[in-house]
Amino acid sequence: MATIDVSRLPAEFQREAAAAVTGWVQQNTTPFYNRSGKSAFDRRAYEVSSNHYEKMDTARRAVAQDDIVSGLAEVTEGLMFQGIKFESLDPNVTDVFNQLAGDLNLDDFIRKVYRELYTYSQVVVAMSWSRATYRPRKPAGVSSRRTRKVFDIEVPSRLAVLDSAKILPVVNSLGVERLFWRASRSDLDSWRTDPWMSEIVLGPCTLPATHKYLDKYGVDPAFLLELNPVNVWRHTNTKPDYAQWADIRMESVFPLLDLKQQLMAADRAALVGNARYMVLMRLGTDTLPAQSSELAQLKEKAETVATLPVVVGDHRLTLDIVSPSMDLTLDAKRYDTLDRRILARMLGSLTSSSTGQRNESTLTVAKMVGRTLESKRHMIKRAFEAHVVSEIVRRNADQVDVRPSLTYYPSRIELDTEAAIITAMEGARIRGDLSRETFLEFLGQSQDNEAMRRIMEADTGLDDVFNTVTPYDSPENNLMSRGITPTSNSVTSDSEEDQ
């Protein structure tokens, strides 16, 4: 307990010092659900106040430290974004946008966007623009000359994910949003001269110092820079237009993460206590009690030979090791109970019951999770098309007259594929209801890559080497599958070989 003497301070500072100490005590002794900061008396890693920036910090720590939360971020990212590309009715525009996707490393950018959404339930993206020249490439298998059309267009030269913890969104009652950057001193000194910052910053903050958001989060308006809405945009999980923030989805598992943290702390205390055990030395029995001189000798022996692995005594000497009970330490059932609930919530599925109260199966849960992940990546696609693709088309309306669509492949996220679905897809393909590209993407393959490989096989003669045939199929179909136009001689020849 510390004592603070304020009597020596000037009179005008005594009341201010007393008020600061009182606020500090109240902050560190109030319940966790009404606390605006970490407690010095009760440090709980996942108990936060209503301050949104504290929730974001807690969510970031959970992704970095908890095994289930961080593991799910990796797994869901891999399931959702195996490949992306652009599609449109104009093959030239499609190829130009796919070249641009390669220049921007769009696969990496989309994964960064998802990580921010997974952690904070929002993402803020900044863009810079420049002119670039693209020439559409010749599709695989097309023997005609490459098109002479050249696209000299204005496109994003950089896409960057900004730190959401430094963004202050200001939303009025009509849903009009403005974004502000919580700048450092160096940001204030360099934003006018730095080419990147001057493109994404509109200017200093014009909000009044009494604005409710500034007072709520304790932000000095002198350290706020308004971001340019043309080059900076925000995408959030589902929220009303009038709301300042989207609810952090991970907040619902903070209590479970706190329980898990307490469980790990209890197990650690048990393990440390067991490593620092006590040795109880007893001498004598009911019929042959120890004499005072013997006890004195035993005490002296314990002090001198405590570090040795051998203790010499008669049959009345008993040694007992005193340590905490380890019966429930590192009990897998206790961890599994919490991990299952955390896993179910973060995957967006209902919690499976082990008492038979629900009829959930692996297949129904897999479908539920798959549709949830598809919905999340669909909204990322819509946000990217609205803020990036549409802006490219608007700036280059004289050359780009169609808006490409961002496409994921495989188009469906299948965690537990049913044989009936595969059979239905094969039937639709045979009937001509599905394109070859859609069917290959369903199987996780790229039509462009397969076309190049088939051309290479035909040019190098690999088809003739393997001589692949379909059992019980007609000779004509087997020849056509190898790229050979059947004739009467070739059919007869093959039929004779089969006989």
Side-chain angles (χ1 to χ4, degrees):
M1 178 66 68
T3 302
I4 302 177
D5 184 10
V6 298
S7 61
R8 297 184 180 182
L9 294 174
E12 61 270 18
F13 294 115
Q14 291 185 13
R15 181 174 300 178
E16 182 179 352
V21 173
T22 302
W24 180 82
V25 173
Q26 291 177 350
Q27 176 185 6
N28 288 280
T29 55
T30 50
F32 72 90
Y33 50 80
N34 192 29
R35 188 169 68 234
S36 59
K38 300 294 186 296
S39 170
F41 309 112
D42 186 11
R43 293 185 174 89
R44 296 172 178 174
Y46 296 101
E47 294 180 350
V48 296
S49 70
S50 58
N51 187 298
H52 196 83
Y53 291 105
E54 289 188 13
K55 296 178 183 178
M56 295 169 71
D57 182 66
T58 305
R60 177 186 299 183
R61 185 167 58 251
V63 173
Q65 297 178 359
D66 185 74
D67 56 335
I68 298 298
V69 176
S70 61
L72 275 179
E74 298 285 348
V75 172
T76 53
E77 177 186 314
L79 289 172
M80 294 169 65
F81 305 108
Q82 298 183 39
I84 56 176
K85 64 179 180 180
F86 285 100
E87 290 183 342
S88 74
L89 295 177
D90 188 336
N92 290 333
V93 173
T94 299
D95 186 69
V96 166
F97 271 79
N98 282 322
Q99 291 183 55
L100 175 62
D103 293 342
L104 294 174
N105 196 4
L106 196 57
D107 291 85
D108 178 69
F109 171 75
I110 290 293
R111 285 163 171 79
K112 292 177 182 177
V113 168
Y114 171 69
R115 278 302 185 99
E116 286 286 299
L117 281 173
Y118 180 88
T119 306
Y120 304 124
S121 296
Q122 76 164 26
V123 60
V124 180
V125 177
M127 306 180 292
S128 63
W129 297 80
S130 63
R131 298 202 69 85
T133 301
Y134 291 97
R135 181 187 295 273
R137 298 165 296 188
K138 183 179 67 174
V142 177
S143 58
S144 60
R145 296 177 60 187
R146 187 170 66 174
T147 177
R148 295 180 179 272
K149 185 175 182 180
V150 176
F151 288 78
D152 182 19
I153 55 179
E154 190 176 7
V155 295
S157 59
R158 180 180 180 185
L159 296 174
V161 176
L162 302 183
D163 186 359
S164 294
K166 292 186 176 182
I167 300 296
L168 176 65
V170 175
V171 183
N172 64 18
S173 57
L174 298 179
V176 179
E177 179 180 272
R178 299 165 66 186
L179 298 178
F180 293 86
W181 177 259
R182 301 174 65 179
S184 62
R185 177 66 65 181
S186 61
D187 293 337
L188 295 175
D189 295 338
S190 63
W191 75 267
R192 286 185 176 88
T193 58
D194 183 89
W196 166 245
M197 290 195 66
S198 61
E199 196 167 353
I200 66 174
V201 173
L202 197 60
C205 174
T206 57
L207 296 175
T210 57
H211 195 281
K212 62 178 182 179
Y213 288 154
L214 302 182
D215 180 65
K216 179 178 180 180
Y217 299 111
V219 178
D220 185 353
F223 286 86
L224 283 182
L225 296 174
E226 185 170 2
L227 297 174
N228 188 347
V230 176
N231 294 331
V232 181
W233 50 276
R234 180 173 75 138
H235 171 60
T236 70
N237 285 337
T238 306
K239 77 173 184 67
D241 291 335
Y242 58 81
Q244 183 188 17
W245 306 98
D247 293 332
I248 295 181
R249 302 303 193 255
M250 200 184 300
E251 184 181 0
S252 58
V253 301
F254 285 172
L256 297 174
L257 292 172
D258 181 67
L259 291 177
K260 185 177 178 180
Q261 185 80 8
Q262 303 300 335
L263 178 59
M264 295 175 66
D267 284 348
R268 181 182 182 279
L271 292 172
V272 171
N274 194 68
R276 298 177 180 178
Y277 55 84
M278 298 172 56
V279 178
L280 177 62
M281 305 178 69
R282 295 184 296 178
L283 182 62
T285 63
D286 293 340
T287 57
L288 296 173
Q291 303 298 320
S292 299
S293 58
E294 293 177 325
L295 293 176
Q297 292 177 359
L298 180 62
K299 180 179 179 181
E300 181 180 357
K301 182 184 299 184
E303 293 176 350
T304 56
V305 299
T307 59
L308 299 178
V310 178
V311 178
V312 179
D314 58 19
H315 66 282
R316 296 177 301 161
L317 179 63
T318 304
L319 300 179
D320 294 321
I321 296 178
V322 181
S323 63
S325 175
M326 299 285 288
D327 294 342
L328 297 178
T329 304
L330 299 179
D331 185 8
K333 293 182 179 179
R334 300 200 294 179
Y335 284 94
D336 289 345
T337 301
L338 297 174
D339 287 344
R340 278 199 302 267
R341 297 189 68 87
I342 295 172
L343 184 67
R345 174 62 189 95
M346 296 304 297
L347 283 175
S349 66
L350 300 177
T351 305
S352 300
S353 174
S354 59
T355 59
Q357 297 177 356
R358 295 196 179 109
N359 294 324
E360 295 159 342
S361 64
T362 303
L363 183 59
T364 57
V365 172
K367 287 184 177 180
M368 192 185 311
V369 172
R371 301 298 85 78
T372 301
L373 297 179
E374 287 176 8
S375 174
K376 290 180 179 179
R377 74 175 187 177
H378 175 74
M379 297 310 297
I380 295 175
K381 156 193 164 74
R382 289 301 188 202
F384 186 84
E385 290 177 347
H387 294 285
V388 181
V389 178
S390 295
E391 184 65 15
I392 296 176
V393 175
R394 186 191 68 80
R395 295 186 181 216
N396 305 280
D398 57 332
Q399 301 181 67
V400 181
D401 54 358
V402 295
R403 195 189 83 165
S405 174
L406 187 66
T407 304
Y408 302 106
Y409 63 89
S411 58
R412 291 168 56 90
I413 298 176
E414 297 292 344
L415 304 181
D416 193 357
T417 305
E418 293 183 89
I421 296 179
I422 299 178
T423 303
M425 293 289 290
E426 290 177 344
R429 171 59 188 152
I430 293 173
R431 293 192 303 270
D433 297 335
L434 285 181
S435 66
R436 178 187 292 104
E437 186 171 10
T438 299
F439 184 69
L440 290 175
E441 287 178 354
F442 173 77
L443 300 177
Q445 307 299 325
S446 169
Q447 177 175 258
D448 293 338
N449 292 339
E450 296 306 315
M452 289 186 292
R453 291 167 182 167
R454 289 292 296 132
I455 293 173
M456 183 272 293
E457 290 175 347
D459 292 344
T460 57
L462 290 176
D463 282 341
D464 295 332
V465 172
F466 287 98
N467 196 21
T468 304
V469 296
T470 303
Y472 308 108
D473 203 352
S474 65
E476 294 88 346
N477 289 342
N478 276 319
L479 289 174
M480 292 178 65
S481 66
R482 291 155 53 190
I484 302 175
T485 302
T487 62
S488 58
N489 293 334
S490 61
V491 172
T492 304
S493 171
D494 283 358
S495 300
E496 293 175 353
E497 290 180 2
D498 294 339
Q499 292 176 359

